[in-house]
Amino acid sequence: GVGPQSAEVHSATALLAGHGYVFDLHDARLGSGGRGKRRHASHAYQIPSRTGEFDLSVAISTLEHDPLWWMTVREMARVTKVGGHVYVSVVSTGPYQPAPGDAFRFMADSPAAIAFWTGRPLGAAPAYPLRVHKSRLLEGKPYHQFSNPTGTSTLEMVFARVEDPSLYFTCKDVARKER
């Protein structure tokens, strides 16, 4: 979970402004809030929603704990309409977090790899292309104030859901910001 004052909550809230229907991976409640409806799920390997149903999909501090994070991101892309956005905030560096499991760390090239992956068909399933809209690495401080020690870095990624996939895996430097 994240604290109410975390940088991720503020970034996601800024992106949420004006979006009508939001999928939030972080929580397991179904409710409404903000300017439109929100739907939440705790596991998202197969999101029980229509393709293109949401304006924005959000995953905050969850994918590093997800044993199938690449499938979850693909599902987030699937349920986000073309022209919508996918917001992901993940741990980049930091100590082991034993609960609820600590499976992955994400680095500066992760956004490009994710965009490339979602643009590829998977068996009979079509591609659900994403384009990197913005990413930044927040270094040297906890990503939220309640459980992580100093030294943890966070990678924030914003993707645009697009029709045409990236043809190449192209890495760019991520904007870096000291907290």
Side-chain angles (χ1 to χ4, degrees), residues 47 54 74 95 102 147 176-177:
I47 299 170
F54 301 101
R74 186 177 176 82
D102 197 358
S147 66
R176 296 179 187 275
K177 179 181 178 183

Side-chain angles (χ1 to χ4, degrees), residues 93 138-144 148-154 178-179:
T93 62
L138 304 170
E139 296 181 294
K141 298 256 180 160
Y143 69 99
H144 64 82
N148 285 347
T150 300
T152 298
S153 296
T154 300
E178 290 289 327
R179 278 194 184 170

Side-chain angles (χ1 to χ4, degrees), residues 19-25 37 39-41 43-59 71-87 118 126-130 160-162:
H19 284 286
Y21 206 34
V22 178
F23 173 77
D24 182 355
L25 175 62
K37 297 180 181 178
R39 183 174 297 172
H40 308 271
H43 299 289
Y45 316 130
Q46 294 180 326
I47 299 170
S49 298
R50 294 183 317 273
T51 298
E53 183 173 350
F54 301 101
D55 300 300
L56 175 66
S57 295
V58 176
M71 296 302 293
T72 299
V73 171
R74 186 177 176 82
E75 275 292 278
M76 292 173 69
R78 181 186 67 78
V79 301
T80 302
K81 71 179 182 181
V82 172
H85 290 88
V86 173
Y87 174 89
T118 60
Y128 302 104
L130 295 174
R161 178 68 169 84
V162 296

Side-chain angles (χ1 to χ4, degrees), residues 105-129:
R105 291 293 181 262
F106 296 80
M107 301 298 162
D109 294 336
S110 296
I114 290 168
F116 186 73
W117 156 245
T118 60
R120 312 275 76 75
L122 181 62
Y128 302 104

